[in-house]
Amino acid sequence: MTKHTKLLFSISFIAILGVNPIACSKAFKGCGEASEKLARESGPNLGRETENAANKAAKKLAEEEAEATRRLTTEEVRPIEISPESKNAADAGRSNTLSQNSDGSYNYNKKRYISFEQIPFENSDNLYLKDGLTQRQANHLIERGVKFVFNNSAYLKQKDKSFRVIYLISDNIPTVMKLYEIDEANAKTLVANSSVSFNNDKIIKVSSFDDMIIKQNEILDKNEVPILIFHNSVKQITLDRFNSESNLITCNSFEVNPKSFLVSTDLLDMTAIIEGVNSSYLNKTLESFYNHFTSSYYAYMLQRNQNFTLIYLSSGVGVAGGIGAIAYYNKKT
Amino acid sequence: MVKLFGDTIAETKRILEASVHAGGEQVTKEDKNKVIGRIIVTCLMIFLAAYLFTSGSKEIGGTIVGAVVGYWMK
């Protein structure tokens, strides 16, 4: 074996050694998160979940108050003000409410953070915010893998309401190409995915924004909450026609309707949305719908990322093996 | 922000993993075909370089490896 062949083998070997731990750790982390989600989703009943969440939130509030008292007495830092949002969270049976103190710091998961960027959010958290998001905050959430956050006041107002989903889609390929700004191949895939599902009265398909507005108003008249699924590349004049009570499932909805119950921080995968809606539309209330929807969305994306990791890993091994085979047989001949 | 390196890898990864989104710029089938073509050509070049290395044409093999690495580092 020549010196150069040995060098090539060494480089390939080191590359594979380097890739393996990264891929394996990602896969293990993913499996852990998936099991955690499954366990959470398959809990005995929603009532018990809510009760547990209420207990946790109440416990969190008590700990926050104890922490504030302790800091006040020891004068370590400036006093922490327990925000009304934290109290509301405990009342409503939630955890992970982000509250901002008078000195600009944040309280999150029983800890105090000086800046938003220091908070180690996780996508498994149900994060409730008092105000809308800034682009800087959204960027940090994207980095942490958080695609959805909840608006506190909309939550308190709409959590127990019934809902209906309005999905902007058509069986006509050119219409879908225009609505979602995609090419023909992607339009066909989207139509195929959408035609398999969504055959029930809880989900209404419309093929234009005008129809969407009409259906939205009908649903609002019945005192239900419309959830609109669409591609967000529409003009502002169209967005202005949406009612502020409507919920939007579209990319970067924190820019469109920051006061909506559910707000997205990033681009949203349409297949994951379809999967999420399919697995959650049977829920009675908006709160339970969103809990299942976000879990399903993250689970789908996690599975997808794991598949890509495996593809990258096997491709790397294949290339290294190919180089090795070429070197081996070339030397033999 | 302008990056000195990593654009090719980042772009390839983004397009390979992209699907239809509910907003933003969409990735077309043509884009996907281009990045798959780019990966196939790279593999062929690496295999050719490996062959040349082991058959004695180290200079040409080294040039090909350098070009491929440079393309992906860009």
Side-chain angles (χ1 to χ4, degrees):
Chain A
M1 197 179 275
T2 66
K3 196 169 71 179
H4 291 289
T5 315
K6 281 180 185 170
L7 180 68
L8 260 176
F9 269 124
S10 307
I11 290 170
S12 309
F13 188 65
I14 290 166
I16 291 168
L17 278 181
V19 167
N20 263 321
I22 296 167
C24 290
S25 66
K26 272 190 180 179
F28 282 129
K29 192 181 170 197
C31 289
E33 285 174 3
S35 319
E36 202 176 290
K37 279 194 179 82
L38 190 65
R40 199 169 50 239
E41 281 169 30
S42 58
N45 59 52
L46 191 62
R48 183 176 289 180
E49 278 179 14
T50 311
E51 189 186 328
N52 288 340
N55 290 339
K56 278 183 188 169
K59 195 177 169 191
K60 183 189 168 194
L61 177 63
E63 283 174 6
E64 276 180 351
E65 283 172 342
E67 174 71 5
T69 312
R70 188 183 68 78
R71 283 172 191 269
L72 268 171
T73 50
T74 55
E75 292 180 359
E76 281 175 356
V77 290
R78 284 195 283 172
I80 297 173
E81 176 193 329
I82 303 300
S83 67
E85 285 67 41
S86 292
K87 292 186 195 312
N88 287 340
D91 295 342
R94 294 167 294 145
S95 57
N96 297 331
T97 297
L98 179 73
S99 58
Q100 191 167 18
N101 303 309
S102 53
D103 62 354
S105 63
Y106 294 90
N107 289 344
Y108 185 71
N109 254 357
K110 304 171 190 170
K111 287 183 184 168
R112 180 175 175 268
Y113 299 90
I114 302 299
S115 73
F116 193 85
E117 282 73 16
Q118 288 178 345
I119 307 174
F121 296 112
E122 287 180 25
N123 65 20
S124 54
D125 296 344
N126 281 337
L127 177 61
Y128 292 82
L129 299 178
K130 181 188 170 192
D131 301 311
L133 282 174
T134 63
Q135 185 62 56
R136 191 175 57 84
Q137 290 172 330
N139 289 342
H140 177 61
L141 290 169
I142 293 167
E143 269 180 34
R144 300 293 310 172
V146 181
K147 295 269 188 181
F148 303 103
V149 294
F150 299 94
N151 182 276
N152 215 34
S153 42
Y155 165 81
L156 293 170
K157 199 173 166 188
Q158 297 182 326
K159 67 187 176 80
D160 294 325
K161 282 198 169 186
S162 179
F163 65 91
R164 274 177 206 274
V165 177
I166 308 175
Y167 180 32
L168 187 64
I169 193 73
S170 168
D171 292 330
N172 184 273
I173 301 296
T175 307
V176 176
M177 286 168 68
K178 200 177 163 189
L179 289 174
Y180 284 85
E181 295 188 340
I182 46 180
D183 61 354
E184 195 177 346
N186 279 325
K188 281 179 179 169
T189 310
L190 185 59
V191 171
N193 288 345
S194 307
S195 64
V196 173
S197 51
F198 296 168
N199 294 319
N200 58 79
D201 62 342
K202 200 84 169 161
I203 303 166
I204 302 158
K205 287 184 185 178
V206 291
S207 55
S208 72
F209 278 98
D210 288 336
D211 289 346
M212 192 172 235
I213 302 295
I214 292 167
K215 291 290 177 190
Q216 169 203 255
N217 295 335
E218 285 176 10
I219 292 167
L220 285 167
D221 287 343
K222 291 176 190 166
N223 202 27
E224 291 180 325
V225 179
I227 301 171
L228 317 179
I229 303 175
F230 62 97
H231 184 270
N232 73 357
S233 65
V234 288
K235 292 177 181 168
Q236 188 60 42
I237 194 162
T238 307
L239 294 173
D240 291 343
R241 294 171 67 195
F242 291 145
N243 192 291
S244 59
E245 296 289 306
S246 295
N247 284 223
L248 313 178
I249 297 184
T250 188
C251 296
N252 301 318
S253 68
F254 75 96
E255 291 173 342
V256 184
N257 185 5
K259 300 290 182 189
S260 175
F261 188 153
L262 183 82
V263 176
S264 68
T265 61
D266 194 9
L267 295 179
L268 296 183
D269 186 291
M270 279 307 294
T271 314
I273 290 175
I274 293 168
E275 291 275 330
V277 171
N278 263 333
S279 66
S280 6
Y281 72 88
L282 287 175
N283 287 284
K284 300 286 180 202
T285 65
L286 204 53
E287 181 185 23
S288 51
F289 169 78
Y290 279 140
N291 283 341
H292 284 90
F293 172 77
T294 52
S295 297
S296 172
Y297 186 95
Y298 286 131
Y300 175 84
M301 294 309 288
L302 187 69
Q303 182 63 49
R304 202 162 175 269
N305 290 339
Q306 282 178 348
N307 291 344
F308 274 110
T309 306
L310 282 174
I311 290 169
Y312 294 144
L313 185 63
S314 51
S315 306
V317 170
V319 170
I323 293 169
I326 289 168
Y328 178 74
Y329 285 108
N330 198 33
K331 190 175 173 293
K332 263 182 98 176
T333 54
Chain B
M1 187 195 290
V2 176
K3 288 193 292 182
L4 284 176
F5 301 109
D7 281 344
T8 311
I9 292 174
E11 182 190 65
T12 305
K13 200 166 172 283
R14 181 178 65 82
I15 290 173
L16 277 180
E17 293 178 5
S19 58
V20 178
H21 286 115
E25 192 186 344
Q26 305 277 17
V27 171
T28 63
K29 195 85 178 166
E30 198 183 329
D31 291 331
K32 284 205 174 180
N33 289 342
K34 280 180 190 169
V35 295
I36 290 167
R38 161 195 289 187
I39 291 166
I40 290 170
V41 170
T42 299
C43 289
L44 292 176
M45 297 290 266
I46 286 174
F47 291 151
L48 177 65
Y51 171 78
L52 290 171
F53 258 120
T54 50
S55 63
S57 306
K58 290 165 194 157
E59 291 80 10
I60 304 173
T63 307
I64 291 172
V65 169
V68 168
V69 170
Y71 176 77
W72 283 98
M73 286 287 286
K74 181 199 73 161

